[in-house]
Amino acid sequence: MTRRTVEPVDAEDTGTTETKSARTHARLLDAAAAVLAEKGFAGTRLSDIAERAQVQAPAIYYYYPSREHLIEAVISSGAASMRAFLERTLAELPDTATPTDRIAAAVEAHLRHELELSDYARAVVRNANQIPEEFRRAAITEIGGYYEIWRGLVEDLRAAGQLRADVDPSVGRMIVLGSLNWTVEWWDAQRGPIEGVIAVAQSMVLHALRP
Amino acid sequence: MTRRTVEPVDAEDTGTTETKSARTHARLLDAAAAVLAEKGFAGTRLSDIAERAQVQAPAIYYYYPSREHLIEAVISSGAASMRAFLERTLAELPDTATPTDRIAAAVEAHLRHELELSDYARAVVRNANQIPEEFRRAAITEIGGYYEIWRGLVEDLRAAGQLRADVDPSVGRMIVLGSLNWTVEWWDAQRGPIEGVIAVAQSMVLHALRP
Amino acid sequence: MTRRTVEPVDAEDTGTTETKSARTHARLLDAAAAVLAEKGFAGTRLSDIAERAQVQAPAIYYYYPSREHLIEAVISSGAASMRAFLERTLAELPDTATPTDRIAAAVEAHLRHELELSDYARAVVRNANQIPEEFRRAAITEIGGYYEIWRGLVEDLRAAGQLRADVDPSVGRMIVLGSLNWTVEWWDAQRGPIEGVIAVAQSMVLHALRP
Amino acid sequence: MTRRTVEPVDAEDTGTTETKSARTHARLLDAAAAVLAEKGFAGTRLSDIAERAQVQAPAIYYYYPSREHLIEAVISSGAASMRAFLERTLAELPDTATPTDRIAAAVEAHLRHELELSDYARAVVRNANQIPEEFRRAAITEIGGYYEIWRGLVEDLRAAGQLRADVDPSVGRMIVLGSLNWTVEWWDAQRGPIEGVIAVAQSMVLHALRP
DNA sequence: AATGAATGAGCGTTCATTCAT
DNA sequence: CATGAATGAACGCTCATTCAT
């Protein structure tokens, strides 16, 4: 019995060679992410997770020693996934990409991952400060890493003389991230294609930061 | 048994002429707002509220028929309070205030109210989508009204030819509000004076929206 | 809400002035003692206790913070009661009572209390080594005190030259107490009057110890 | 699937010719006896037994249809073992052995078996009355037989005019057995050599019974 | 011969709620 | 006006047991 360590976004390439155990485990983690994203930390019931994963609640204890461990695994996995997705996106940019290009790409990555791809990311974002300290132990490095990347993006912009003087880098970064994070609260597919939101967000973020 | 309809921000000037009942009622609602703002909807326990209000839990039932009604009252009151605060702020602006001035004032009002003044506003903002539909019945008008004011602010900007063409008014408004709402997740007084955040936010919001 | 500190043997003199709470509390503790005496530590279910006390199981939590605390209270109370009963019995003996007289009286006190009077004593005796260390914290002093009294009784016998030379005082004491403790496993009222057992036990104990 | 009928005390000389199944079976029964002796009936978990026997819990069901049957087998086996051990001990005594000699030998056999040799005996003794009636069905004959032997020993003493008149044979027997049984609750090897306890017990028992 | 995977029953506990006082 | 006392529903979790492999 191994814990699922690959981030769920990659889960698509797991073929039919998966064992039954691995499949149940994945269903469980996915279900937990979905419930956590929807109901929030305190509202997340094991019975809801179990129902969604199509097992009985005690089956969870075959894979995780407690509710706490399961939630921690979701947050951990979600945070790692967000960071990996952003890192990969940035890595794929050509060397000629400017700080501005990179921020635009980061905005798109953040929104796509959060809105389109992953309950895990939504679980992380929506429960950011709702979850007790001890549930985040394992995720703190990842979350810190994610914020660090953004810090770097803003710093690069500043170094290139492209950050407006009246924007404190730290506050500016949080305001940008806030506007992106909050999209989970209002955007849904019926509101139109995600590309529309991405384009507006990119434009607004860059105008907000640059001279 | 009367519901408390005056918004809690004003509650401070309630003198000593209030009855004991009214005072307990106020303590209860304030306590509920504080707990709701901190713990979130599902994490809010009547016992926590009661403790904070210095009564026994069943006393709540003298003022509200259920947990649901109490929470609804907080959200309602919080939403009304946010709207009233914003309306008053805008009303106090001179007639010569431009759409830009008005948006800057609205940003400041939003942040001050949410960060500095009111657990009620924080309760509304943080639990925005976490609370089941039926808990918001009474608040929906107020919340709708609040959003409507912002819609007007953005529309005025657009009418004045000051809204950039690539900013969809509706999406733009939500992105701005998201960046403001999210401040409750990261700002705290130790991070420096609120005026710093307000200034940066105003600048970023206006640059994001205007040509 | 006060914990019941008087030992249950004395409970008989509580008149009708008792509050309802005190009566429920007493029923609960009595029920816990009875179940513990009968089913043993691991076999003691809160639901059994509740049923016997004629309340619903969660009512227990109005009086005790956990199963552990309730059981601890029974053991504590039981141990204190045994000790008090023995001390009182010995104190009531005339000053002219010999060490032999005192041991005979102690044997009777032990048996009467354990067999006739108190589920609490039976709960203590039968669960002596079955209960985890931490459940006995509060009772350890009392239990230690009880054993200490017996140590004194045997020592007095020895000092009076009435302890046979081949009886190690410590082992001898445990063998005597074992024979008394074990009566809870086999004696019941249908086997005849308790006085019969007491007489035989006294005779055997004294012949076992004395020259 | 065969039940293990040989008493466990003899189990040590089972050679390597035993099948793997028989060895697992033996480990299981031994583990059950150990856990039962230590934790008591209600505290005995199949998972503890399995761990001690180094198998997974469901493996137990290959050998026993239920927890009940396993425990019953331990008790049965333990009772049979006690009886056999006592019978053998008595049979090995010379024909010239007096009733007194035989009781002394029985005391030693009881203590050695219980304290030194067998978790099975300790499981029987400590759970004597803790185990529901139906778990003892199979053991009742053996236990009855064991008590019967002791009845005979006391009766022989009486017939030889060596039982004090004020000792009821039945009560006397239970008091003696109680003092011996209870040793499992307090004696441990660190308290000194078992021979010390045996000597004191023999002396006390005989002085308690004889004129 | 034994395990991995999962379940159903039940336990200790929490919590919103009731009701007599 | 508020509490003390108690309850019913539900939750997290444990455990004996099942069953395909």
Side-chain angles (χ1 to χ4, degrees):
Chain A
M1 192 200 88
T2 47
R3 291 283 176 71
R4 199 190 195 216
T5 51
V6 275
E7 62 273 41
V9 170
D10 293 338
E12 5 181 314
D13 27 273
T14 57
T16 49
T17 58
E18 269 189 343
T19 64
K20 188 187 174 201
S21 172
R23 268 180 284 122
T24 305
H25 192 169
R27 281 209 318 282
L28 224 39
L29 206 54
D30 288 351
V35 175
L36 205 52
E38 194 185 338
K39 301 277 181 71
F41 168 69
T44 293
R45 313 254 167 270
L46 290 192
S47 55
D48 292 341
I49 295 173
E51 190 180 4
R52 203 181 183 106
Q54 299 187 82
V55 293
Q56 298 301 313
I60 292 171
Y61 289 84
Y62 187 77
Y63 297 92
Y64 294 94
S66 72
R67 174 181 182 271
E68 164 162 359
H69 283 85
L70 171 53
I71 291 182
E72 191 181 307
V74 171
I75 297 299
S76 235
S77 172
S81 158
M82 286 181 71
R83 183 183 178 176
F85 192 75
L86 178 54
E87 280 176 340
R88 204 173 332 132
T89 300
L90 293 175
E92 283 167 1
L93 290 180
D95 289 354
T96 55
T98 63
T100 295
D101 294 337
R102 291 167 61 81
I103 286 186
V107 166
E108 172 164 8
H110 190 104
L111 291 178
R112 280 203 188 278
H113 194 197
E114 173 180 293
L115 299 180
E116 218 182 28
L117 299 175
S118 170
D119 284 335
Y120 292 78
R122 281 170 52 224
V124 171
V125 164
R126 293 198 71 184
N127 291 286
N129 288 344
Q130 211 105 245
I131 294 187
E133 205 53 52
E134 70 259 39
F135 283 65
R136 286 182 275 172
R137 286 282 140 70
I140 271 182
T141 316
E142 303 296 341
I143 293 177
Y146 191 77
Y147 275 74
E148 194 52 34
I149 296 172
W150 275 92
R151 211 192 55 70
L153 292 171
V154 174
E155 170 57 20
D156 291 348
L157 197 70
R158 199 197 57 73
Q162 298 285 331
L163 182 67
R164 289 193 298 106
D166 59 358
V167 177
D168 175 83
S170 168
V171 172
R173 187 187 75 223
M174 292 313 296
I175 285 189
V176 166
L177 280 169
S179 71
L180 302 181
N181 283 338
W182 196 263
T183 54
V184 299
E185 305 290 345
W186 58 269
W187 185 81
D188 67 278
Q190 288 152 339
R191 234 185 136 115
I194 195 176
E195 283 73 17
V197 181
I198 290 171
V200 174
Q202 287 174 322
S203 167
M204 288 180 72
V205 163
L206 290 173
H207 278 85
L209 295 175
R210 307 204 325 156
Chain B
M1 196 197 86
T2 49
R3 292 285 176 68
R4 198 191 195 217
T5 51
V6 276
E7 63 272 42
V9 171
D10 294 339
E12 2 181 317
D13 30 84
T14 57
T16 49
T17 58
E18 272 189 344
T19 66
K20 187 186 171 201
S21 171
R23 267 180 285 122
T24 302
H25 191 169
R27 280 209 320 279
L28 224 41
L29 206 55
D30 288 352
V35 174
L36 206 51
E38 194 185 339
K39 301 276 182 70
F41 167 68
T44 293
R45 317 248 166 274
L46 289 194
S47 55
D48 293 341
I49 296 173
E51 189 182 3
R52 203 180 182 104
Q54 301 188 78
V55 292
Q56 298 299 314
I60 292 171
Y61 289 84
Y62 183 77
Y63 297 93
Y64 295 93
S66 73
R67 174 181 183 270
E68 166 163 350
H69 284 85
L70 171 53
I71 291 181
E72 191 181 307
V74 170
I75 298 299
S76 237
S77 174
S81 158
M82 287 181 71
R83 182 182 179 176
F85 192 75
L86 178 55
E87 281 177 338
R88 205 177 326 134
T89 300
L90 294 174
E92 284 168 0
L93 291 179
D95 289 354
T96 57
T98 63
T100 295
D101 295 338
R102 290 168 61 82
I103 285 186
V107 167
E108 173 165 7
H110 190 104
L111 290 178
R112 280 203 188 279
H113 194 196
E114 174 179 291
L115 299 181
E116 219 180 29
L117 299 174
S118 170
D119 286 334
Y120 292 79
R122 280 170 53 223
V124 171
V125 164
R126 293 198 71 184
N127 292 285
N129 287 345
Q130 210 105 245
I131 295 185
E133 204 57 49
E134 70 259 40
F135 283 65
R136 285 181 277 172
R137 285 282 144 67
I140 271 182
T141 317
E142 303 296 341
I143 292 176
Y146 191 76
Y147 276 74
E148 194 53 34
I149 296 173
W150 274 91
R151 212 191 55 69
L153 291 171
V154 173
E155 170 58 18
D156 290 350
L157 196 70
R158 198 196 58 71
Q162 299 284 332
L163 182 68
R164 289 192 298 106
D166 58 359
V167 178
D168 174 83
S170 168
V171 172
R173 187 187 74 223
M174 291 316 293
I175 285 188
V176 166
L177 279 169
S179 70
L180 301 182
N181 283 339
W182 196 263
T183 54
V184 299
E185 304 291 345
W186 58 270
W187 185 81
D188 68 277
Q190 288 153 340
R191 233 185 136 115
I194 196 177
E195 282 74 17
V197 181
I198 291 172
V200 174
Q202 286 175 324
S203 169
M204 289 179 71
V205 164
L206 291 173
H207 278 85
L209 295 174
R210 308 203 325 158
Chain C
M1 192 199 85
T2 47
R3 291 284 177 69
R4 200 188 194 218
T5 50
V6 275
E7 64 272 41
V9 171
D10 292 339
E12 8 182 311
D13 27 274
T14 56
T16 49
T17 57
E18 269 191 344
T19 65
K20 188 187 175 200
S21 171
R23 267 181 284 122
T24 303
H25 192 170
R27 280 207 321 279
L28 225 39
L29 207 55
D30 288 351
V35 175
L36 205 51
E38 194 185 337
K39 300 278 182 71
F41 168 70
T44 293
R45 314 254 166 270
L46 290 193
S47 54
D48 292 341
I49 295 174
E51 190 180 2
R52 203 181 182 103
Q54 300 188 82
V55 292
Q56 298 299 313
I60 292 171
Y61 289 84
Y62 188 77
Y63 297 92
Y64 294 94
S66 73
R67 175 181 182 270
E68 163 161 1
H69 283 86
L70 172 52
I71 292 181
E72 191 182 306
V74 170
I75 298 299
S76 233
S77 174
S81 159
M82 288 181 70
R83 182 182 178 177
F85 192 75
L86 178 54
E87 280 176 340
R88 204 172 332 130
T89 300
L90 293 175
E92 283 168 0
L93 291 179
D95 291 351
T96 56
T98 64
T100 295
D101 294 337
R102 290 168 62 81
I103 286 184
V107 166
E108 173 164 9
H110 190 104
L111 290 177
R112 281 205 187 275
H113 195 196
E114 175 179 293
L115 299 180
E116 215 180 33
L117 299 174
S118 172
D119 285 334
Y120 292 77
R122 280 171 53 223
V124 171
V125 164
R126 293 198 70 185
N127 292 286
N129 288 344
Q130 210 104 245
I131 294 186
E133 205 54 53
E134 71 259 40
F135 284 65
R136 287 181 275 171
R137 285 281 140 69
I140 270 182
T141 316
E142 303 296 342
I143 293 177
Y146 191 75
Y147 276 74
E148 196 51 35
I149 297 172
W150 274 91
R151 211 191 56 70
L153 292 171
V154 174
E155 170 57 20
D156 290 349
L157 198 70
R158 199 196 58 72
Q162 298 285 330
L163 183 67
R164 288 194 297 106
D166 59 358
V167 176
D168 174 84
S170 167
V171 172
R173 187 187 73 223
M174 292 313 295
I175 286 189
V176 167
L177 280 170
S179 69
L180 302 181
N181 283 339
W182 197 262
T183 54
V184 299
E185 306 291 345
W186 58 269
W187 185 82
D188 69 275
Q190 289 152 340
R191 235 184 135 114
I194 195 176
E195 283 72 17
V197 182
I198 291 171
V200 175
Q202 287 174 324
S203 168
M204 290 180 71
V205 163
L206 290 173
H207 279 86
L209 295 174
R210 306 202 330 157
Chain D
M1 192 197 86
T2 47
R3 290 284 176 69
R4 200 190 193 215
T5 52
V6 275
E7 62 272 43
V9 171
D10 294 338
E12 4 183 315
D13 28 86
T14 57
T16 48
T17 58
E18 271 190 344
T19 65
K20 186 184 173 204
S21 171
R23 267 181 285 122
T24 303
H25 191 167
R27 279 210 319 281
L28 224 39
L29 206 55
D30 287 352
V35 174
L36 206 51
E38 194 185 339
K39 302 276 181 71
F41 167 70
T44 292
R45 316 250 165 275
L46 289 193
S47 54
D48 292 342
I49 296 174
E51 190 182 2
R52 204 181 182 103
Q54 301 188 80
V55 293
Q56 298 299 314
I60 293 171
Y61 289 84
Y62 184 77
Y63 298 92
Y64 295 93
S66 73
R67 173 181 184 270
E68 166 162 350
H69 284 85
L70 171 53
I71 291 181
E72 192 181 305
V74 170
I75 298 298
S76 241
S77 173
S81 158
M82 287 181 71
R83 182 182 179 177
F85 192 76
L86 178 55
E87 280 176 340
R88 206 176 327 136
T89 299
L90 293 175
E92 284 168 0
L93 289 180
D95 289 353
T96 56
T98 63
T100 295
D101 295 337
R102 290 167 62 79
I103 286 186
V107 166
E108 172 164 8
H110 190 104
L111 290 178
R112 281 204 188 276
H113 196 195
E114 175 179 292
L115 299 180
E116 218 181 30
L117 299 174
S118 170
D119 285 334
Y120 291 78
R122 280 170 52 222
V124 171
V125 163
R126 293 198 70 185
N127 292 286
N129 287 347
Q130 209 104 247
I131 294 186
E133 203 57 50
E134 70 259 41
F135 283 65
R136 285 180 279 172
R137 286 281 143 68
I140 271 181
T141 318
E142 304 296 341
I143 293 177
Y146 191 76
Y147 276 74
E148 195 51 35
I149 297 171
W150 274 91
R151 211 192 55 71
L153 290 171
V154 173
E155 170 57 19
D156 291 350
L157 197 70
R158 198 195 57 72
Q162 299 285 333
L163 183 67
R164 289 194 295 109
D166 58 359
V167 177
D168 174 84
S170 168
V171 172
R173 186 186 75 224
M174 292 314 294
I175 285 188
V176 166
L177 280 169
S179 70
L180 301 181
N181 283 339
W182 196 262
T183 53
V184 299
E185 305 291 344
W186 57 269
W187 184 83
D188 67 278
Q190 288 153 341
R191 236 184 133 115
I194 196 177
E195 282 74 18
V197 181
I198 292 172
V200 175
Q202 286 174 324
S203 169
M204 289 179 72
V205 163
L206 290 173
H207 278 86
L209 295 175
R210 307 201 328 155

